[in-house]
Amino acid sequence: MKMMYCPYCSGQVTLKPCRNYCLNVMKGCLANQADLDSEWNNFLDAMLSLADRLEGPFNFESVMDPIDVKISEAIMNMQENSMQVSQKVFQGCGQPRPAQVSKRSVREGGFAARFRPYSPDARPTTAAGTSLDRLVTDIKKKLKHAKKFWSTLPESVCTGERIGTGDECWNGTAKSRYESVVMGNGLANQVTNPDVEVDITKPDAVIRRQILTLRIMTNKLKSAHSGNDVSFFDMSEEGSGEESGSGCEGPQCTADFDFQPTAAIKPRVVVPKASGVDSGADSGAAGSPAGGPALVLALAAAALALLAPQS
């Protein structure tokens, strides 16, 4: 805000900031984000290594392509050697019993309507409409372009029409050349930043967690690249299973699996009410397993007192 709009106060609304001044401001404002760069690049390198694997012998699309040819060869081999194969099957499994085959109406189109001829020139495609090798090539270009994103972010902002040229620029105080030295990237290099006051003793907690997450993901990708099984935990699904695991689905489960914790913890003992007894005591006695017998004894004592002869 200071860099972009302070010239307005002196009436110089068209004055743009000097490039080096802009760089120092952005390096100070993005000091914590610049520390992501190292782990970010390691993460991208691990992704590129996996992409290279998909272009080589581990490309499952190239493995799946000739399956139809292999199946066709197997069928032809079975037809050419049907007698020998049948004899071996009958010897091991016995003679098959004749089965009655029911006649079924053939729909219009029959086999041709459900299956289309396969052309070897037509590569199988994904849902996006492109084959896997094209997708891998495209993602590799984007990953390489994203490297050093955080360290070059100030240069990406302070370029083009956003900044002034030569002495015709705003240096933070006036329309003049910017004389201060441009700081380095990262939080530790902002100690002497002349334009942004940065407390290097208080790193951003969110950025530190993101750095740790990138480091963990990089290790997982490297482990997968080495052929090890890797499990990923999706944070977006956390808490989504709070109602799952009941083992029963459908409306028929309502009556069979209607569990009430309060009823199990506090069994209710029903006792007949008598006149002269406060109805509020029923709720207190019902909350205890021993409340019922105690109330019966109290009512018996009251009845004996009433039936006793008067002196």
Side-chain angles (χ1 to χ4, degrees), residues 278-294:
D278 187 6
S279 60
D282 182 45
S283 60
S288 173

Side-chain angles (χ1 to χ4, degrees), residues 233-246:
F233 178 71
D234 190 357
M235 296 295 294
S236 63
E237 296 181 359
E238 184 179 4
S240 61
E242 59 185 5
E243 295 181 357
S244 63
S246 63

Side-chain angles (χ1 to χ4, degrees), residues 1 3 22-34 154 190 193 195-198:
M1 292 294 292
M3 177 182 69
C22 176
L23 287 174
N24 272 343
V25 171
M26 297 310 299
K27 286 177 182 289
C29 293
L30 301 173
N32 285 282
Q33 283 76 7
Q190 307 308 313
N193 192 315
D195 300 297
V196 181
E197 184 178 352
V198 181

